[in-house]
Amino acid sequence: MSVSPSTAPAHAHHEPGFLGKYVFSQDHKIIGIQFLFTSLIFLGIGGILALLVRIKLAWPMAEIPILRDYFPDNAGVISDTAYNMFFTMHATIMIFFVIIPFLTGAFGNYCIPLMIGADDMAFPKLNMLSYWFMWPAIGFAVAGFFVPGGHAGAGWTSYPTLASGSLGVGQGIESPAFPGSGWGQFCWLMAALLVGVSSMMGSVNYITTIINMRAPGMTLFRMPMTIWAMFITAILQAFALPVLTVALVFQLMDKTMGSTFFLPPSGLDFGNYHSGPGGGQPLLWQHLFWFYSHPAVYIMILPAMGIVSDILSTFARRPLFGYRAMIYSIAGIAGLGFIVWGHHMFQSGMDPRLGTGFMVATIMIALPSAVKTFNWLGTLFRGNLQFTTPMLFSLGFVSLFIIGGLSGIFMAATPVDIKIHDTYFIVAHIHYVLFTSSLFGIFAGIYYWFPKMFGRFMSDKWGKVHFFLTFVLGNFTFFPMHILGVAEMRRRISTPQGTILEGGLQNLNIFVSISAIALGLVQIIFLINFLGSIFFGKRCTERNPWKSNTLEWSAPTPPGHGNFDIPPVVYHGPYEYGNFEGKADDNLMQTEKAVGVLPSQTH
Amino acid sequence: MRKAFSPTLQTHAGQPVTFGSLMHPFHGRSAVGILLACLAVVGCETQYGPERTYGLRKDPVIKNGQKMMEERPLPDRPGQLPIASIKDLTEQEDSDHPFYRADSAKRKEFLVQDLVRDTGLISADDRKIMEETLEKLFGKPRDPKVAITDKDGNPDEKAAEGLQVDVTTLARGSVLYREHCLHCHGITGDGRGPTGKWVNPHPRDFRSGLFKFTTVNRVEKASLKASRGDLARTLRQGVEGTAMPSFNLLSEQNIQDLVSYVMHLSIRGETEVRTVLGAFDAAKMEMVDEDGLEEYINKASRSVVKAWKESQAAANAIQVPTMAFDPNDIANVEKLKESVQRGKKLFEDKKTNCNGCHVNYGRQAPYKADDWGTLSRPRNLTQGIFRGGRRDSDLYARIHSGIVGSGMNPFGKDLKSDEIWDLVNFVRVLPYPEMRKNVGIEIPE
Amino acid sequence: MGKFWSFLFGITMVACVGLFVAAPFVGWWMVEPHSLHASRVDNLFYIILVVTGIFFILTEGVLVALMWAYRGTPDLKAGDIHKGELPGFIRPLANVFNTPHKIEIAWTLVPAAILLYLGMAQISTWADIKYLSRMEKQIKDGESPIVCDVSARQFEWRVRYPNSARLKEMQTIKANAGKRDWEKFSPHYDDVHVVNEVHAVKNKPVLVHLSTRDVIHSFNLPHMRVKQDALPGKMIPVWFTPISSNVDKEGKELPGKIWELPCAELCGWGHVRMVGRLYVHETMDDYQAWLAGVEKQQRNGTSPPQAVAANQ
């Protein structure tokens, strides 16, 4: 079937004004791009907070030029209180305002209707609301920096009673446990709550759209991996989020209404302040929180895995190896993800016998991840690898996800976890999974779909420079953290000089910090490339610049309102790359009828 | 495998820590060059910056915190400092204390009643003189000193002899203070570090020159400060029941350096306070002393240093006699029983009137205002938390010489030493119900 | 360009392995184990390190090899590669990848077996370290552990010991199948209180009653491979048996043998400064001598406080 390019939209519709088109838009593409920009801004903020953390760790007692003016009462040194606030908000912003909105918000919104051949989401208004619920959350997240006591500083996990310790009823919200645990923590809780509402609206929409609005012929097992990953992520979110919301509301009530969900019967003493006796249990929070936040880890990686699978297949010019195995392993990860939350709590005072069960489940979750990795390698075999920027980021994802995955086995093993729990080993692990994996997947996706989004290419040369430096400096920054952890550097310490063992690691810390600062600066290349290419990039006139197979590439570039000028009909799966008789190109789009045996059937 | 290396023990031995001193003999010598270059940009500092000064105090001096507290007998919440020193008198909007309310009548009243001195009213010229003179006497945070002059303006090296406030000790102390104490106690020792206002009780304001948990004999001489041993004990043991943690992992040398630096801050701060209170009149803060401001400051510094020197004299320490029997020895249980029962009687006696403040053994003690203008409660003695230390001799000293500024009076004059020991034994037994039963005292639940 | 990128990936992976190999030699590594269970923990760590190391080298090696072998050019079509001759070193792989179902079964079952083994290998060690029932079995009859009560607060460890007399009494308690007396260690009039110091005796089990007064802290002894959070409102037992001592007769730490007790769970702005010390005495006599010394200081105000303070 050949595609006849047409400039006229397939059906008539009224043209909305500027506000309706770009701001309060109900078009999934605009909403996706809105999410993209919002997340990019917060990537910058979160990155700056990360650099502040690293600066403090490398030169803990130095007066840093410029920064010193902000800490007059601490003699120009970044105060420990501010440091706690920095790392807490770095994690919170990166997780709730960068990775999740990027993957589910930006790519989910942009790609789902386009890749399944729908003209929009099932509930466009809900979709718009989902984006606009981010803004009150952002408001709280930013306002927290300016409230008395500063922003929350009890870690992104916000464990009671450090986060929830409060005075008696009616005595105000300020916390004696930590300056940021008063108004700052209140803002944190509200922000997380509202982000949760936004995510929930998104996931309901995604599930409905994927189930109900697929193009004719798009069976479930003809969907691209990106869509499968988004689908399973949305289900994960829909089931896990209510638990977090409950936990957040509990802590809010503890803070404002004098309930005692997380306050033990013995009460707490902070100098002259005494809490009354409570009726709760601090461990309850950890259970509720991790019941959401462990699946959240998969919410933050599965869509990236889907994106990477698609990109690898496209640029290896090969069918994805083990398509069904990939889907089953994603489902396996998601399913197992609900019964492993206890591995965050091995040393928490939970009954150690529970730990054994959680350990076995956790170690087995490495299996589907391993299968996925092997499948990616299988995809490369006998391929014709095109080293474009999105491909490089995807290969980087595979390469570094292996590190993040393997280091996870250490902390899954309960006795070994005694040693590395709450050390920098954990920090290394989470950054290998979230930075060098999730964020690499995000970068790959941006470089890949940029032509479709904006009708121009991002510079490939600068993209490669960006990849090279990010890959090298990312490893410089995060790999030594494994060593720091093994050598007993604790997590969340404001100076690596607290103990004798940590003192001996100071120079490694300085190395890591310098790498981190360089890594931060390198992202400016990306920023310039991204913003510059929107206006000055090479124009992309073709519909399918990468010669890919999925449906979004059969839509005009950029797609207009209603997406497809020709309603797509799907004939086969998305990964048919190979030799086709009578066809110059080596790809077979999903809308093209197959001739002969499909490459995916021969392998 | 790793060389023993203690940052707290070794890196502060006088010299500022250079990066080289942190290097393990094995690791990464090749990288040192690059890293040193990077450090040079930032400045590898454990010391205060060279341009940082103590500056003149901005907050008002509270002269009678107890009287002021009658206006607002509420405990301050986390994030608030004691009344009347939360902010400068000039910034008054966001406090609900009458002192700051828009109508300045109340403020004036406080000033006229001489409850408080507003340093904001001091003229610019006088401020400049004060700042310069104080800097001449006490240096900057980076180069602290106690350089007392005699009446003719010549350096008087004898004045601070024995206080261990020489320049090298203070320089070491300044580095340590910056790392360990600054976060709560603030640069000038005003108790206004970043976390100072979030903890309750608030960190000690060294500038007032009042130290609570001491062993100097205030029965004889009320002006005494604290001995080095007292400050060292507080550093080592911390103050249980407050936010002051124990620093007992610091070396003896480090503790002594810190004690010296705290004394330096206290001497400097109190000189400043005495000048504000003595050299100016109450309401207008105009100079009243005819000697000239500079000379007044010198005079004040001499008298403060003298008080500190006296506090160190062995003769001015509380002489704690040995208890008549060893209360630990199981054979003495009968003696202990009698002693505790005598102690209980004394506790409830009109003479001591312990019950008057520690109502129901402190369980229902009413709030009281202390000299810093904060609300505090007499200790609940049934909890077993003793801020000034739990050694018998600590408790003896509390009863003998009281707790400065808190309203706990010295009883050394009224009570014989045996009677104090009886009280100590009683207080020691109070928190343990089983022990109370053993020695035959009953307190209502 | 393909060569360059495979080279970059290859060199990075070699560097990663290299850092892990080199780190122990430059002193960036675990501290020596000094407790009964510590070497078991370390062994498990090394087992996982070796297994994951092999998998790491294997998968990254294959990735780099594939990137090198199949670097394509834009003009080349996918089909051309399929027809072409395979490079020599990749040929053995070809048979494997050409039979997808067998290889898929293999690469699912082999890791599954290894992972299951890794999981099972942990269980007994974990149980011995943390299960209360196992502790009962580990402590021999008539041999009471050293008991102490560690009460954490921002930012210090307050430690309480039974005094000498009560310690002697506890040592003589004969073990029985049921509850032991040392399990109930309530505050007592004559207890000895110290701050930031945990004392133990070589080859004698230590039982710590861990609690906290304000927020969550974590009792963390790197040299003993002990880590346990303290939960508000809950007493959690922690036990370990040190197998070497680190102090001399006077209770002074031997050179290079400072064993710290840092708090491992974020507990507020002073988290980093919350550090205690562990002192393991050579013999029970040394321990009792230390205990008697502290007790004397604390009780029986015979010495003037000023002198005590200065000499402490």
Side-chain angles (χ1 to χ4, degrees):
Chain A
M1 172 183 162
S2 66
V3 171
S4 61
S6 156
T7 45
H11 55 277
H13 58 87
H14 79 104
E15 195 65 30
F18 177 82
L19 265 186
K21 198 170 174 186
Y22 295 110
V23 183
F24 297 103
S25 173
Q26 297 177 21
D27 184 346
H28 72 98
K29 297 182 293 296
I30 300 293
I31 294 171
I33 290 167
Q34 283 172 332
F35 266 115
L36 185 71
F37 276 97
T38 316
S39 308
L40 267 177
I41 293 167
F42 275 86
L43 183 63
I45 297 175
I48 289 167
L49 288 170
L51 295 189
L52 289 170
V53 165
R54 280 316 316 181
I55 286 171
K56 171 76 176 166
L57 277 172
W59 304 284
M61 290 310 285
E63 291 187 28
I64 313 288
I66 304 167
L67 280 181
R68 73 173 140 213
D69 300 337
Y70 294 93
F71 298 97
D73 54 355
N74 202 37
V77 182
I78 298 175
S79 72
D80 294 346
T81 322
Y83 171 85
N84 283 11
M85 174 174 101
F86 292 157
F87 73 69
T88 300
M89 290 320 291
H90 161 66
T92 307
I93 284 178
M94 285 302 194
I95 288 166
F96 292 117
F97 293 95
V98 177
I99 305 276
I100 292 179
F102 250 137
L103 287 172
T104 61
F107 292 124
N109 267 310
Y110 196 86
C111 296
I112 288 174
L114 277 169
M115 288 177 98
I116 62 170
D119 53 2
D120 205 325
M121 284 284 182
F123 310 117
K125 281 206 179 69
L126 193 68
N127 207 17
M128 179 183 77
L129 263 183
S130 140
Y131 176 70
W132 285 106
F133 255 90
M134 283 286 286
W135 277 98
I138 288 169
F140 276 112
V142 172
F145 286 102
F146 305 100
V147 297
H151 219 313
W156 83 278
T157 50
S158 282
Y159 280 4
T161 53
L162 181 59
S164 72
S166 55
L167 305 174
V169 193
Q171 288 182 44
I173 196 170
E174 293 91 347
S175 169
F178 185 80
S181 293
W183 287 107
Q185 186 67 24
F186 175 80
C187 290
W188 186 94
L189 291 165
M190 288 305 291
L193 198 65
L194 291 163
V195 164
V197 173
S198 156
S199 291
M200 186 55 115
M201 290 177 178
S203 49
V204 169
N205 216 344
Y206 299 164
I207 295 171
T208 321
T209 308
I210 292 171
I211 290 177
N212 284 336
M213 298 187 63
R214 298 191 307 276
M218 179 66 94
T219 60
L220 281 178
F221 283 100
R222 282 179 183 172
M223 295 199 307
M225 285 308 297
T226 307
I227 300 305
W228 263 110
M230 295 288 179
F231 184 46
I232 291 171
T233 303
I235 294 172
L236 266 179
Q237 249 178 357
F239 283 92
L241 251 174
V243 180
L244 177 74
T245 310
V246 164
L248 293 170
V249 171
F250 279 180
Q251 209 184 97
L252 264 177
M253 286 168 70
D254 271 13
K255 213 159 252 323
T256 53
M257 298 183 196
S259 66
T260 57
F261 290 104
F262 305 122
L263 185 67
S266 57
L268 310 169
D269 286 342
F270 299 93
N272 280 349
Y273 302 120
H274 304 281
S275 74
Q281 165 62 272
L283 209 54
L284 174 65
W285 167 268
Q286 297 187 26
H287 279 295
L288 294 175
F289 181 82
W290 286 116
F291 188 85
Y292 163 76
S293 289
H294 195 75
V297 173
Y298 299 116
I299 292 168
M300 289 182 271
I301 190 78
L302 291 181
M305 285 175 164
I307 292 168
V308 162
S309 305
D310 280 355
I311 293 175
L312 276 179
S313 166
T314 302
F315 292 106
R317 316 305 297 163
R318 281 274 289 152
L320 187 70
F321 194 97
Y323 170 66
R324 282 191 181 231
M326 287 289 235
I327 294 168
Y328 296 142
S329 52
I330 286 194
I333 290 174
L336 279 173
F338 272 111
I339 55 164
V340 296
W341 79 90
H343 68 220
H344 297 268
M345 300 166 56
F346 286 150
Q347 322 302 341
S348 69
M350 173 181 79
D351 191 315
R353 283 168 296 190
L354 274 174
T356 308
F358 279 123
M359 169 185 67
V360 176
T362 305
I363 286 191
M364 292 324 287
I365 212 169
L367 187 60
S369 314
V371 169
K372 290 188 77 71
T373 308
F374 296 142
N375 279 326
W376 287 323
L377 295 179
T379 308
L380 300 182
F381 177 71
R382 292 204 134 185
N384 177 20
L385 307 190
Q386 313 292 310
F387 289 100
T388 55
T389 311
M391 179 62 164
L392 284 171
F393 272 105
S394 303
L395 289 169
F397 174 99
V398 175
S399 165
L400 301 182
F401 177 71
I402 293 173
I403 300 180
L406 290 175
S407 63
I409 296 175
F410 289 84
M411 49 206 71
T414 39
V416 180
D417 185 63
I418 294 175
K419 202 191 135 28
I420 56 176
H421 181 71
D422 273 330
T423 66
Y424 257 68
F425 200 91
I426 310 282
V427 180
H429 168 75
I430 197 172
H431 283 98
Y432 263 95
V433 178
L434 289 187
F435 182 87
T436 61
S437 302
S438 291
L439 205 61
F440 270 36
I442 289 165
F443 280 137
I446 292 176
Y447 282 104
Y448 182 63
W449 279 301
F450 192 88
K452 186 57 66 181
M453 286 178 180
F454 300 104
R456 289 174 190 268
F457 287 99
M458 281 177 81
S459 159
D460 198 49
K461 190 176 90 189
W462 284 108
K464 278 174 179 161
V465 171
H466 173 224
F467 169 74
F468 173 78
L469 292 171
T470 308
F471 184 79
V472 172
L473 291 169
N475 277 305
F476 276 8
T477 306
F478 298 119
F479 203 81
M481 288 183 184
H482 290 112
I483 304 291
L484 287 173
V486 174
E488 294 297 344
M489 179 168 161
R490 293 171 285 158
R491 239 180 127 173
R492 292 168 168 175
I493 49 170
S494 56
T495 150
Q497 306 241 334
T499 67
I500 294 165
L501 298 175
E502 284 156 5
L505 300 166
Q506 177 71 7
N507 44 353
L508 197 52
N509 268 309
I510 293 178
F511 174 79
V512 168
S513 289
I514 291 171
S515 306
I517 292 165
L519 181 62
L521 292 177
V522 161
Q523 304 315 312
I524 294 173
I525 298 177
F526 170 77
L527 196 69
I528 293 171
N529 193 355
F530 181 83
L531 294 176
S533 298
I534 292 175
F535 301 105
F536 310 111
K538 198 178 86 189
R539 272 200 187 281
C540 171
T541 46
E542 314 166 64
R543 293 188 171 214
N544 191 0
W546 307 117
K547 293 202 170 53
S548 185
N549 285 351
T550 39
L551 289 184
E552 78 271 29
W553 304 107
S554 68
T557 299
H561 193 79
N563 294 343
F564 296 94
D565 42 5
I566 305 154
V569 180
V570 175
Y571 296 101
H572 49 76
Y575 300 114
E576 306 302 347
Y577 297 96
N579 258 355
F580 302 99
E581 275 172 45
K583 197 166 183 296
D585 292 331
D586 56 357
N587 67 323
L588 187 72
M589 295 198 69
Q590 284 187 287
T591 48
E592 290 173 301
K593 219 166 195 165
V595 184
V597 185
L598 290 169
S600 67
Q601 287 156 353
T602 58
H603 253 309
Chain B
M1 191 173 299
R2 188 177 300 126
K3 198 178 123 197
F5 159 75
S6 160
T8 49
L9 296 178
Q10 292 169 16
T11 56
H12 305 301
Q15 294 306 310
V17 180
T18 62
F19 186 61
S21 73
L22 287 170
M23 297 300 290
H24 185 273
F26 287 120
H27 30 92
R29 224 166 243 158
S30 53
V32 180
I34 308 165
L35 295 178
L36 269 181
C38 297
L39 278 174
V41 179
V42 181
C44 174
E45 292 292 342
T46 57
Q47 288 174 304
Y48 285 103
E51 73 282 3
R52 201 162 287 282
T53 58
Y54 286 118
L56 209 58
R57 79 181 277 157
K58 294 196 187 80
D59 50 319
V61 180
I62 301 169
K63 221 179 152 192
N64 193 339
Q66 284 159 12
K67 188 111 185 279
M68 281 187 72
M69 278 304 285
E70 287 166 10
E71 294 287 336
R72 176 177 164 268
L74 276 172
D76 36 304
R77 297 213 300 258
Q80 290 181 338
L81 274 173
I83 55 147
S85 54
I86 301 170
K87 295 228 160 148
D88 300 350
L89 287 173
T90 43
E91 301 171 42
Q92 50 179 307
E93 307 85 34
D94 61 336
S95 175
D96 54 352
H97 188 268
F99 190 76
Y100 296 110
R101 289 222 186 98
D103 67 299
S104 50
K106 196 84 202 169
R107 204 164 97 202
K108 210 168 208 169
E109 196 187 312
F110 277 140
L111 292 172
V112 172
Q113 285 175 352
D114 204 9
L115 302 180
V116 71
R117 293 292 175 89
D118 181 358
T119 55
L121 297 177
I122 301 175
S123 71
D125 290 344
D126 287 346
R127 291 182 78 92
K128 197 156 169 275
I129 296 172
M130 276 183 81
E131 222 161 287
E132 279 167 4
T133 316
L134 283 170
E135 198 169 313
K136 209 154 64 188
L137 287 173
F138 301 107
K140 292 176 177 180
R142 191 191 175 100
D143 320 292
K145 59 184 176 184
V146 179
I148 304 302
T149 55
D150 61 18
K151 287 192 178 81
D152 309 323
N154 301 318
D156 183 358
E157 267 145 33
K158 285 235 171 92
E161 211 172 36
L163 286 181
Q164 298 180 36
V165 285
D166 53 297
V167 179
T168 46
T169 311
L170 287 181
R172 287 199 301 266
S174 149
V175 169
L176 284 163
Y177 182 89
R178 182 169 178 268
E179 182 177 350
H180 296 290
C181 319
L182 174 63
H183 208 271
C184 284
H185 287 283
I187 301 169
T188 55
D190 53 5
R192 292 155 179 241
T195 31
K197 56 185 174 178
W198 293 91
V199 297
N200 197 331
H202 297 292
R204 180 66 52 247
D205 178 357
F206 302 139
R207 299 172 306 176
S208 62
L210 301 179
F211 292 86
K212 274 182 168 176
F213 306 119
T214 62
T215 55
V216 289
N217 192 340
R218 283 216 185 73
V219 174
E220 303 296 328
K221 217 177 224 161
S223 66
L224 291 176
K225 304 282 170 205
S227 72
R228 291 186 70 86
D230 298 333
L231 298 181
R233 191 207 63 78
T234 303
L235 277 169
R236 278 184 198 294
Q237 296 295 313
V239 182
E240 209 182 355
T242 75
M244 171 79 183
S246 150
F247 288 91
N248 64 344
L249 296 189
L250 294 181
S251 70
E252 180 58 35
Q253 172 76 59
N254 286 348
I255 296 265
Q256 291 303 328
D257 293 345
L258 274 173
V259 167
S260 294
Y261 190 70
V262 167
M263 278 166 59
H264 154 83
L265 287 179
S266 180
I267 293 170
R268 187 196 163 279
E270 200 180 346
T271 304
E272 194 181 20
V273 168
R274 286 197 188 188
T275 309
V276 174
L277 292 180
F280 301 98
D281 84 342
K284 290 189 189 137
M285 295 305 276
E286 276 162 358
M287 275 275 292
V288 289
D289 194 87
E290 60 275 7
D291 282 354
L293 190 51
E294 196 177 339
E295 184 45 36
Y296 192 92
I297 294 169
N298 281 326
K299 258 194 319 203
S301 73
R302 282 195 288 271
S303 99
V304 174
V305 167
K306 189 159 159 265
W308 273 98
K309 248 176 109 171
E310 280 175 351
S311 310
Q312 309 307 315
N316 283 332
I318 301 170
Q319 303 305 316
V320 183
T322 313
M323 212 185 289
F325 60 94
D326 178 3
N328 251 12
D329 197 338
I330 202 90
N332 289 334
V333 71
E334 281 306 313
K335 282 183 184 162
L336 181 65
K337 214 169 167 175
E338 287 161 20
S339 167
V340 169
Q341 278 167 0
R342 280 198 303 272
K344 184 169 189 276
K345 215 169 272 164
L346 264 175
F347 191 89
E348 287 151 4
D349 197 74
K350 275 265 153 48
K351 182 167 78 170
T352 57
N353 199 17
C354 300
N355 256 345
C357 293
H358 299 271
V359 177
N360 193 1
Y361 308 99
R363 286 179 296 189
Q364 290 168 326
Y367 279 99
K368 282 179 169 270
D370 64 17
D371 280 8
W372 294 271
T374 27
L375 225 48
S376 69
R377 281 178 98 173
R379 189 65 40 243
N380 178 352
L381 296 169
T382 61
Q383 281 180 330
I385 291 177
F386 305 109
R387 293 189 175 169
R390 55 168 64 249
R391 291 175 306 173
D392 288 346
S393 51
D394 293 325
L395 296 174
Y396 186 97
R398 290 304 84 74
I399 299 169
H400 181 279
S401 280
I403 301 174
V404 178
S406 72
M408 169 86 184
N409 297 324
F411 290 92
K413 208 175 243 166
D414 309 328
L415 297 175
K416 290 196 285 292
S417 67
D418 282 346
E419 289 177 315
I420 298 182
W421 276 132
D422 291 341
L423 271 174
V424 168
N425 282 331
F426 171 67
V427 167
R428 294 254 341 186
V429 164
L430 253 185
Y432 305 97
E434 210 174 313
M435 195 63 196
R436 288 204 299 261
K437 224 184 316 169
N438 289 349
V439 296
I441 56 167
E442 254 176 55
I443 65 169
E445 283 305 321
Chain C
M1 274 312 257
K3 280 186 185 175
F4 172 76
W5 294 118
S6 359
F7 188 69
L8 173 72
F9 276 59
I11 201 108
T12 313
M13 296 317 129
V14 172
C16 288
V17 175
L19 186 58
F20 254 92
V21 174
F25 295 101
V26 292
W28 294 333
W29 202 244
M30 300 195 256
V31 289
E32 293 122 20
H34 289 291
S35 76
L36 211 52
H37 69 260
S39 45
R40 291 175 72 189
V41 172
D42 286 9
N43 287 343
L44 289 169
F45 178 85
Y46 285 118
I47 289 172
I48 298 179
L49 187 64
V50 168
V51 171
T52 53
I54 290 169
F55 263 83
F56 177 71
I57 293 168
L58 206 76
T59 42
E60 298 285 358
V62 170
L63 175 70
V64 172
L66 290 171
M67 281 170 69
W68 182 279
Y70 297 111
R71 57 187 192 277
T73 52
D75 342 317
L76 214 58
K77 281 176 60 179
D80 300 338
I81 291 278
H82 284 254
K83 282 175 202 147
E85 193 59 27
L86 291 169
F89 63 88
I90 210 100
R91 245 171 250 151
L93 277 176
N95 296 331
V96 176
F97 279 105
N98 277 338
T99 49
H101 289 296
K102 272 186 200 162
I103 175 68
E104 279 189 292
I105 290 167
W107 76 34
T108 310
L109 289 186
V110 172
I114 293 172
L115 287 170
L116 208 60
Y117 160 73
L118 284 182
M120 294 302 162
Q122 320 288 333
I123 293 176
S124 70
T125 309
W126 172 249
D128 284 348
I129 299 171
K130 295 262 179 176
Y131 286 16
L132 202 58
S133 55
R134 298 284 180 107
M135 184 196 70
E136 297 266 349
K137 282 183 197 134
Q138 282 166 42
I139 294 166
K140 289 188 211 99
D141 270 4
E143 194 190 69
S144 227
I146 302 266
V147 183
C148 65
D149 177 292
V150 174
S151 169
R153 73 182 197 101
Q154 289 173 328
F155 301 98
E156 64 189 11
W157 307 97
R158 295 245 159 209
V159 191
R160 185 167 61 84
Y161 291 92
N163 72 347
S164 309
R166 269 162 52 77
L167 180 74
K168 270 190 201 115
E169 199 181 298
M170 286 162 97
Q171 292 297 311
T172 58
I173 293 170
K174 284 275 176 285
N176 51 46
K179 270 207 174 287
R180 292 163 191 247
D181 277 11
W182 40 257
E183 279 180 10
K184 300 176 284 169
F185 176 45
S186 53
H188 203 268
Y189 164 73
D190 53 10
D191 286 333
V192 173
H193 295 257
V194 291
V195 197
N196 286 342
E197 291 178 22
V198 173
H199 288 257
V201 179
K202 188 175 150 185
N203 290 333
K204 202 162 170 57
V206 183
L207 176 64
V208 176
H209 296 243
L210 184 62
S211 61
T212 167
R213 299 178 196 177
D214 37 38
V215 303
I216 298 175
H217 300 274
S218 189
F219 185 81
N220 169 25
L221 288 166
H223 294 82
M224 300 291 136
R225 309 287 190 268
V226 167
K227 197 172 279 161
Q228 175 62 57
D229 286 6
L231 275 180
K234 206 172 170 193
M235 196 283 285
I236 298 171
V238 181
W239 61 94
F240 59 94
T241 311
I243 51 169
S244 46
S245 63
N246 73 333
V247 296
D248 59 17
K249 285 263 166 229
E250 276 85 51
K252 287 252 152 47
E253 283 146 319
L254 300 167
K257 285 220 164 190
I258 296 174
W259 295 348
E260 284 167 312
L261 163 60
C263 172
E265 180 72 53
L266 177 68
C267 57
W269 61 269
H271 171 48
V272 65
R273 299 185 207 290
M274 184 164 174
V275 182
R277 292 265 175 90
L278 174 69
Y279 301 83
V280 181
H281 297 268
E282 184 72 34
T283 63
M284 198 63 196
D285 291 341
D286 291 355
Y287 175 81
Q288 270 159 343
W290 163 79
L291 193 66
V294 183
E295 210 181 326
K296 199 167 167 222
Q297 245 174 35
Q298 194 171 295
R299 208 64 187 88
N300 184 12
T302 41
S303 45
Q306 208 159 337
V308 175
N311 296 334
Q312 244 178 34

